[in-house]
């Protein structure tokens, strides 16, 4: 790949403690942290910073703190709906807060968030106010030209994977994610493949579970050799493959088409004792982004399994907790990716020459 | 034995007078047995109307015998030990504590002078001598010493560089083996949550170092929700003027220790949320402003976010101490 990425801007001290999660939208990037706030940052180099953008300016965090009900215990997961209308934030209390996003008037302003309440007495309300660990907002393709249904998939502290109809608050499917030894295991991460109607869960005991929304059944259960915790799990954009990473340091890609469950690639590059916290496929499915405990960000060619770039702008004693490609959508004006973690710095990378 | 019996309490009871009363009760029971009369200890009788009354009497009898043995031989036994001597009878530690109180009330004696003592857990080593009142004694702490009771005075017998409080006994032993305590350091160990005697000694030592601003009190606990809660218990007992003398030297979850962690349990996760809530609820109080509470919250959040915890190692302390 002849393309190169550079740090466009590094916002230092964006939050008062670990940045556990970032979430890219078509407007800009949302960040959240153990400090309990949600902030917004534009992709573009802020015009009021008087440095040559090519140098990759480091600036004191100039994001916008969004008006929301701050979580006293801090947030650990963020997610946005594919239609860019809803944002979710999960806090350490076990509550998931949902917000409606109002688009900003222009590119220089942040979007507005307003709290939305789940339908009263719905199964979703009971669940998301108390027991959420990680979640994903997605669209479930109903097929046969019936359009798609906005859904919320959550994994809970009591080892359940539940999928809700986001608007009705009703339950579409629910599975118990338990190890044979019920004292062990804890579901850490999940992902939804809208096209194939699959939900995947990565567990602390090293197991990957894949469930089908179409049949309501468990489709696959993949047990890694290492039995080490799985911290990130991502379906490829076409839904046929799944990338899995965690404490083993390597990234495995499995074929999930026709419930094959075959490992098709193993990407080695992060150290074997590096925890990989975050993965993201590029929208074409050609490249995979990964970041972890060693502070390194790697870009992989998914076809050749080669690591084509390593970014180590973060200090090696700090971890990358969350990273994501900027989305390609109707308002696309920026190509790159965003990463953040324990050094409390948000780094926005752009395609060289852009 | 006479010196062991000298201690008296507020009611003017001495160990000697208590032993006399206990022996009197024993003789009364024996004569009751011989004359086929109902056995009684205060209002408790044998055989009672129910199984639980019967068990209650047996517990009192067991404690009566244990107390006589202790006082006659001039030794003490911990309540914990008594429980382990007959787990089937007592079923819980609480039953021992409660029955001892009942025995005291029934015989009108001070149960704290029976030789059956609350288990002291605290350990200390360093160049100091401790004075206690219950039991009355003065001990030299140049070897690892179990706190005999709540200390009332600590005399430093040499210069002092630092005071280290560790959560775990095993770590204390490793540190002593490495000679850590020989460099004018005092090590205090609460074996988990500290008891009153350990807290008292920390308090006395803080007072002792008031005029030596160089001397710090370092606290080392596991990088898990349990350890971080123990840290909270110690800090809760530190008077405000000493906050700047306290340092938390670990352990922490950080990047170089990724291979040393283990998964959290359900209980760990619940406790982490509880401790985090307690810290956040206190965020406006004095100690929160003075202390490394932000880092503390971050560690608890990482316990949850990583679903991982780590036990402290001796290296955390040796490296942490060097950085100071």
């Amino acid at each position: 790949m002849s393309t190169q990425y550079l740090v466009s801007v590094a916002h230092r001290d964006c939050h008062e403690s670990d940045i556990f999660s970032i979430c890219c939208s078509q407007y800009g990037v949302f960040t959240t942290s153990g400090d309990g706030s949600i902030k917004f940052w534009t992709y573009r180099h802020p015009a009021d910073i008087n440095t040559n953008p090519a140098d990759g300016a480091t600036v004191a965090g100039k994001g916008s703190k969004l008006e929301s009900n701050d979580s006293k215990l801090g947030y650990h997961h963020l997610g946005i709906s594919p239609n860019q209308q809803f944002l979710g934030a999960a806090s350490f209390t076990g509550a998931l807060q949902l917000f409606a996003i109002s688009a900003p008037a222009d590119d220089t302003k942040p979007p507005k968030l307003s709290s939305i309440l789940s339908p009263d007495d719905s199964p979703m309300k009971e669940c998301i106010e108390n027991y959420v660990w990680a979640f994903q907002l997605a669209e479930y393709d109903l097929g046969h030209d019936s359009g798609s249904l906005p859904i919320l998939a959550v994994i809970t502290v009591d080892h359940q994977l539940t999928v809700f109809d986001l608007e009705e608050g009703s339950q579409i499917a629910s599975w118990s994610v338990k190890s044979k030894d019920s004292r062990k295991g804890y579901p850490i991460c999940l992902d939804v493949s809208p096209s194939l109607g699959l939900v995947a869960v990565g567990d602390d005991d090293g197991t990957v579970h894949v469930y089908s929304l179409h049949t309501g059944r468990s489709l696959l259960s993949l047990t890694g050799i290492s039995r080490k915790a799985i911290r990130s799990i991502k379906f490829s954009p076409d839904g046929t493959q799944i990338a899995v990473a965690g404490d083993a340091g390597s990234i495995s890609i499995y074929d999930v088409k026709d419930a094959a469950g075959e490992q098709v690639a193993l990407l080695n590059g992060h150290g074997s004792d590096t925890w990989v916290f975050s993965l993201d496929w590029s929208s074409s499915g050609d490249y995979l982004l990964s970041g972890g405990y060693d502070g390194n960000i790697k870009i992989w060619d998914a076809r050749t399994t080669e690591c084509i770039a390593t970014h180590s702008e973060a200090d090696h004693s700090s971890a990358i907790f969350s990273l994501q490609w900027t989305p390609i959508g109707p308002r696309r004006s920026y190509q790159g990716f965003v990463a953040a973690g324990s050094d409390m710095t948000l780094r926005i990378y752009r395609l060289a020459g852009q | 034995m006479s010196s062991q019996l000298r201690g008296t309490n507020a009611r003017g009871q001495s160990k000697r007078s208590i032993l006399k009363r206990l022996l009197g009760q024993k003789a009364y029971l024996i004569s009751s047995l011989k004359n086929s009369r109902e056995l009684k200890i205060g209002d408790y009788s044998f055989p009672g109307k129910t199984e639980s009354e019967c068990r209650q009497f047996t517990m009192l009898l067991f404690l009566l015998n244990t107390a006589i043995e202790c006082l006659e031989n001039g030794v003490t036994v911990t309540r914990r030990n008594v429980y382990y001597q007959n787990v089937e009878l007592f079923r819980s530690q609480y039953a021992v504590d409660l029955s001892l109180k009942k025995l005291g009330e029934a015989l009108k004696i001070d149960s704290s002078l029976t030789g059956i003592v609350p288990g002291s857990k605290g350990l200390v080593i360093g160049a100091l001598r401790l004075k206690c009142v219950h039991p009355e004694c003065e001990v030299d702490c140049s070897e690892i010493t179990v706190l005999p009771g709540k200390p009332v005075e600590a005399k430093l017998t040499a210069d002092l560089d630092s005071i280290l409080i560790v959560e775990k006994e095993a770590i204390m032993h490793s540190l002593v083996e490495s000679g850590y305590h020989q460099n004018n350091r005092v090590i205090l160990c609460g074996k988990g949550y500290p008891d009153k005697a350990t807290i008292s000694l920390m308090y006395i030592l803080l007072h002792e170092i008031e005029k030596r601003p160089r001397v710090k009190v370092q606290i080392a606990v596991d990088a898990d929700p349990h350890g971080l809660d123990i840290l909270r218990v110690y800090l809760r007992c530190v008077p405000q003027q000493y906050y700047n003398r306290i340092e938390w030297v670990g352990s922490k979850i950080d990047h170089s220790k990724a291979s040393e962690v283990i998964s959290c349990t359900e209980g760990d996760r619940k406790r982490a949320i509880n401790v985090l809530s307690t810290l956040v609820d206190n965020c406006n109080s004095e100690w929160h402003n003075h202390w490394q509470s932000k880092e503390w919250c971050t560690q608890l959040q990482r316990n949850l976010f990583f679903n991982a915890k780590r036990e402290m190692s001796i290296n955390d302390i040796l490296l942490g101490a060097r950085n100071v």
Side-chain angles (χ1 to χ4, degrees), chain A residues 18 34 73 204 231 293 316, chain B residues 255 263 269 301-302 306-307:
Chain A
D18 291 354
L73 301 196
D204 185 67
R231 303 201 179 270
Y293 226 154
H316 280 276
Chain B
H255 126 283
S263 292
R269 287 190 291 271
Q301 288 170 341
R302 287 187 187 174
F306 299 175
N307 193 45

Side-chain angles (χ1 to χ4, degrees), chain A residues 20-94:
Chain A
F20 287 121
S21 189
I22 63 155
C23 174
C24 288
S25 73
Q26 56 178 314
Y27 315 114
V29 58
F30 295 95
T31 59
T32 198
S33 145
D35 69 7
S37 64
I38 302 170
K39 292 184 180 177
F40 175 82
W41 317 76
T42 57
Y43 296 125
R44 287 271 171 212
H45 191 274
D48 56 336
I49 301 170
N50 244 344
T51 49
N52 180 359
D55 295 341
T58 298
V59 295
K62 281 204 175 184
S64 312
K65 191 168 175 226
L66 298 170
E67 278 174 43
S68 59
N69 304 318
D70 286 359
S71 163
K72 288 202 295 182
L73 301 196
Y75 291 110
H76 51 78
H77 280 87
L78 275 183
I80 192 167
S81 64
N83 63 10
Q84 310 284 295
Q85 289 178 356
F86 303 107
L87 185 80
S91 91
F92 285 105
T93 56

